Amino acid sequence: MPFKTITREYEGFLEDRKSRFLAFLVPVGQFEVRLEELRKEHRKANHIVTAHRRLLGNGRIEESGKDDGEPAGTSGMPTLRVLQGADLINCAVLIVRYFGGTKLGGGGLARAYSGAAQDAISNAELIPFQKFATKTVSADFASSSEMEQQISRLGLTVVSRDYTEAGVKLTVEGPEDDLARL
């Protein structure tokens, strides 16, 4: 199944019986920083529910859903299921809840949190996920220009160039599929 991901933050919103749910869909690398910012920014919020999915180096998926004080299973897991259903990877959703005075019940909470997450995803520009890797390639001086042109055509990034007596050694970064063609 082809995964999708995002490159920047997107927001969503849902209101149910005066409770407000502010959803933030972020790249997983920004998760911890964004959580701290939201805790400072929304000090009066009752809860900040989170869910994330990350592809590990060995191909396994690390994922979690945290309820942050809401009744167990009513917020974090429904939010995680929305990420799973959208085939998102290397993404996190943080949902800030302001209580509106009326209890929503377990089902109402699950619908509200998953609805806020879905709204953020529907506002997002989803792109196909590509696993990035690094590769080192070598060439003699005569063919180094041709190799640099091939790297450029493939849209890869040269991370470093090391010149030796025999030629040049390049460390190149990019999508695994494109690196395999180099």
Side-chain angles (χ1 to χ4, degrees):
M1 101 185 94
F3 288 120
K4 293 172 270 197
T5 193
I6 56 170
T7 57
R8 67 177 185 84
E9 180 175 312
Y10 295 91
E11 296 180 11
F13 176 78
L14 187 129
E15 187 168 333
D16 187 352
R17 290 171 264 179
K18 297 186 182 175
S19 281
R20 293 182 305 138
F21 298 84
L22 313 173
F24 302 88
L25 177 66
V26 301
V28 78
Q30 298 172 10
F31 174 69
E32 294 294 332
V33 170
R34 194 63 177 119
L35 180 58
E36 286 307 310
E37 289 172 354
L38 289 172
R39 287 195 194 287
K40 290 176 186 170
E41 209 175 305
H42 298 277
R43 292 185 193 275
K44 294 186 179 187
N46 299 84
H47 307 279
I48 300 180
V49 167
T50 61
H52 85 277
R53 299 185 80 208
R54 174 191 334 246
L55 186 64
L56 301 176
N58 60 6
R60 290 184 327 116
I61 297 174
E62 170 191 273
E63 56 188 11
S64 75
K66 304 260 169 81
D67 294 321
D68 191 40
E70 292 283 23
T74 61
S75 50
M77 286 310 293
T79 303
L80 176 59
R81 281 192 217 100
V82 171
L83 287 177
Q84 292 167 336
D87 292 325
L88 286 172
I89 198 74
N90 289 0
C91 298
V93 176
L94 304 98
I95 303 175
V96 177
R97 179 189 182 194
Y98 284 96
F99 182 61
T102 303
K103 291 189 177 191
L104 303 180
L109 285 172
R111 282 187 297 278
Y113 278 106
S114 59
Q118 189 59 52
D119 189 49
I121 292 169
S122 69
N123 293 331
E125 182 183 328
L126 304 179
I127 58 172
F129 173 76
Q130 293 182 318
K131 193 171 180 184
F132 276 69
T134 303
K135 181 177 185 178
T136 302
V137 293
S138 300
D140 58 28
F141 289 113
S143 58
S144 65
S145 176
E146 184 181 317
M147 185 171 61
E148 292 255 7
Q149 288 174 1
Q150 184 182 10
I151 289 168
S152 179
R153 277 193 305 273
L154 290 171
L156 302 171
T157 304
V158 176
V159 178
S160 69
R161 286 179 183 80
D162 294 319
Y163 295 96
T164 64
E165 290 178 12
V168 64
K169 187 177 356 175
L170 301 173
T171 303
V172 183
E173 182 180 73
E176 281 185 341
D177 295 343
D178 294 338
L179 280 175
R181 287 189 245 150
L182 183 62

